[in-house]
Amino acid sequence: PDTDLDVHLDVEEVRTKHMAVLGTTGSGKSYFVKQFITRIADSLNKIFVLDPHGEYSKHLKELFNFNNFMEVE
């Protein structure tokens, strides 16, 4: 918390592997994921987001203009 740590990711590496974002409450996980998906969306074929608290649904629907957004309960 409270650091200005720069993060650099190889988009090609992320596209071909799985990725998990872990951290403590308030560490910026949700913010990072929303920014990350927004910035690399054009280079992805599929995005699977496990969103048990509904933090991303609205943002992703608006970002991608989804008509067939699948929610699993």
Side-chain angles (χ1 to χ4, degrees):
D2 301 320
T3 64
D4 291 326
L5 182 66
D6 290 333
V7 175
H8 302 275
L9 296 171
D10 181 346
V11 174
E12 271 309 304
E13 189 75 16
V14 173
R15 287 184 69 220
T16 60
K17 306 227 182 325
H18 296 93
M19 183 173 93
V21 178
L22 308 171
T24 59
T25 301
S27 62
K29 297 177 302 294
S30 297
Y31 176 79
F32 168 78
V33 170
K34 288 177 187 175
Q35 293 297 311
F36 179 74
I37 291 173
T38 300
R39 292 179 184 187
I40 69 164
D42 291 340
S43 66
L44 298 175
N45 295 329
K46 296 178 185 176
I47 299 172
F48 295 92
V49 178
L50 301 177
D51 185 16
H53 302 291
E55 296 177 67
Y56 305 101
S57 300
K58 182 179 178 188
H59 176 75
L60 294 175
K61 285 178 187 177
E62 291 172 0
L63 176 65
F64 297 111
N65 195 22
F66 282 142
N67 294 323
N68 60 343
F69 194 82
M70 186 172 128
E71 295 185 32
V72 178
E73 294 183 26

